[in-house]
Amino acid sequence: MPRAGLSPDAVVRLAVEVVDAGGPTGFADLTLAKVAAKAGVAAPSLYKHVGSLADLRREVTLIAVRDLTAAASSATVGRAGADALRALAGAWRDYAHAHPGRYAATQIGADPDNPADARLREVGTESVQVVVAVLRGFGLPDDRVIDAVRAVRAGVHGFVTLELGGGYRMREDVDQSFAVLLDMLVAGVTALSTPGSAPVRDTTGSHR
């Protein structure tokens, strides 16, 4: 039965429901046809409320990034150093387990040259600033902060993505392995904070 009172916000909420129902691939598999079916209307009817699938995906991403930022902020408030980093990573992992489709949406970066991505750039910056605040607790110099942000994000995201995709089939405790990853990340960020530390480069200028 068609839903009465569709609006842009209602369409976005339905899209989030579709993404949540789709599991880890829910965001990648999002289509206007699926949202229309959820709403009980024909797909062309959605164009009264959303300009395109790209616009709808952007709105879902905005919600997901805000949610993840709020979870990370809540987990790290009042914490510092290694404790804060472990809490941050744990919040990311918990969010990914609870909302795997939305978590996938948070990995979509804003296009710096696209005016339509202005709000996404803003919320993305807020999300990064939570991570920066955590990592500055290690005493990182300014020129190492982005390196540390990227390394921590890559480590946690890689682990979580493999976990959600069924990549860990051995009997050993996955939580223990995650704890080991966090120990390694803490050690790595601590090393970056050491005065005089620098990445090793080969003669072509690429990292070894």
Side-chain angles (χ1 to χ4, degrees):
M1 181 177 179
R3 294 197 178 194
L6 273 184
S7 66
D9 287 345
V11 171
V12 172
R13 287 195 298 271
L14 289 172
V16 171
E17 291 177 15
V18 170
V19 167
D20 284 343
T25 64
F27 184 71
D29 295 340
L30 178 65
T31 64
L32 290 176
K34 289 181 178 180
V35 177
K38 183 85 172 171
V41 300
S45 299
L46 295 184
Y47 288 107
K48 299 176 184 177
H49 310 288
V50 61
S52 66
L53 177 59
D55 291 340
L56 187 58
R57 287 169 61 86
R58 185 181 296 110
E59 293 301 321
V60 172
T61 299
L62 283 166
I63 289 172
V65 173
R66 287 178 180 134
D67 284 352
L68 184 61
T69 302
S73 298
S74 177
T76 56
V77 66
R79 300 175 185 269
D83 185 36
L85 178 52
R86 290 189 173 93
L88 173 73
W92 284 349
R93 186 184 181 211
D94 289 345
Y95 185 83
H97 277 265
H99 307 288
R102 282 191 239 183
Y103 174 76
T106 68
Q107 305 307 308
I108 306 300
D111 182 346
D113 299 319
N114 186 352
D117 276 0
R119 287 185 300 151
L120 188 53
R121 286 193 294 273
E122 181 180 339
V123 298
T125 297
E126 292 171 358
S127 183
V128 170
Q129 288 307 312
V130 173
V131 188
V132 169
V134 167
L135 295 178
R136 285 199 184 281
F138 286 82
L140 281 170
D142 289 344
D143 63 347
R144 310 313 297 275
V145 171
I146 295 302
D147 292 335
V149 169
R150 289 172 173 166
V152 168
R153 180 185 176 192
V156 176
H157 177 64
F159 189 100
V160 168
T161 300
L162 286 168
E163 185 177 22
L164 292 176
Y168 300 136
R169 299 289 188 179
M170 299 175 72
R171 295 182 180 277
E172 282 77 6
D173 184 9
V174 176
D175 289 342
Q176 174 62 27
S177 296
F178 188 67
V180 170
L181 170 67
L182 298 190
D183 287 344
M184 295 171 71
L185 290 175
V186 166
V189 175
T190 300
L192 281 178
S193 305
T194 303
S197 67
V200 178
R201 297 179 184 271
D202 61 22
T203 55
T204 67
S206 63
H207 285 64
R208 290 181 183 174

